[in-house]
Amino acid sequence: MTAQTQKIILTGRKVIGGIAEGEALVSKIPLMGWGNVNVEGGFTVERNHPLFEVPFKGKVLVFSEPRGSGGFVGYGRTREFGKHPAAFLYRKGNNLTIFAAMNMKVPTVTDFDRDPTEVIETGDFVRVDGDKGIVEVFKKN
């Protein structure tokens, strides 16, 4: 990061504690669960989705909300194959997003003071403090 890198701080609510950082992968469109995540490859297989087959391993996965049924927990199963994201940030969640985050065992934050999908862009560098619910965003140049 250079001296000119813009830093933005978001505050939210802790779901899963811990510290992580990495490049952001952002979806403004809800992520669908049932049958739409390749757990061994670590990507969505939902056709016509902007993140179709884009690997999220090691990335800070930022999305608006889940869509669909209990299959969303498949995102959590990516940990079994070492293909899970570094952190999980979402605008609006439910018990399925919490369960997926628990399975992944990665810092997870929600209920932000601003919509993270409007502030964070794919490629931004993001530092997540899940314990404090603080997300630092370093805008890509």
Side-chain angles (χ1 to χ4, degrees):
M1 281 163 278
T2 66
Q4 289 118 2
T5 302
Q6 180 187 5
K7 177 180 168 181
I8 299 170
I9 297 177
L10 298 175
T11 58
R13 179 179 59 81
K14 167 188 172 179
V15 177
I16 304 293
I19 308 273
E21 59 186 29
E23 182 182 335
L25 182 61
V26 181
S27 175
K28 294 182 181 218
I29 297 173
L31 290 172
M32 186 170 215
W34 191 256
N36 286 298
V37 62
N38 180 314
V39 298
E40 293 179 20
F43 52 83
T44 182
V45 293
E46 181 181 353
R47 293 179 189 202
N48 300 318
H49 193 284
L51 298 186
F52 177 71
E53 294 187 344
V54 177
F56 48 73
K57 177 184 177 180
K59 306 270 172 104
V60 176
L61 185 58
V62 184
F63 62 100
S64 58
E65 60 191 324
R67 180 168 51 95
S69 67
F72 194 82
V73 299
Y75 284 87
R77 289 195 52 231
T78 60
R79 183 171 190 84
E80 296 173 37
F81 302 96
K83 301 295 184 174
H84 57 288
F88 218 30
L89 308 177
Y90 50 85
R91 181 179 55 80
K92 180 181 175 186
N94 58 26
N95 60 336
L96 302 174
T97 53
I98 294 169
F99 190 65
M102 287 171 54
N103 283 340
M104 284 189 292
K105 300 176 185 165
V106 297
T108 303
V109 181
T110 190
D111 295 339
F112 289 95
D113 57 345
R114 291 178 278 174
D115 183 345
T117 66
E118 295 296 325
V119 176
I120 305 170
E121 298 174 273
T122 294
D124 289 345
F125 184 81
V126 180
R127 187 173 296 133
V128 179
D129 184 334
D131 297 310
K132 295 178 182 174
I134 295 173
V135 175
E136 295 175 293
V137 182
F138 299 90
K139 301 303 287 179
K140 62 184 176 184
N141 292 330

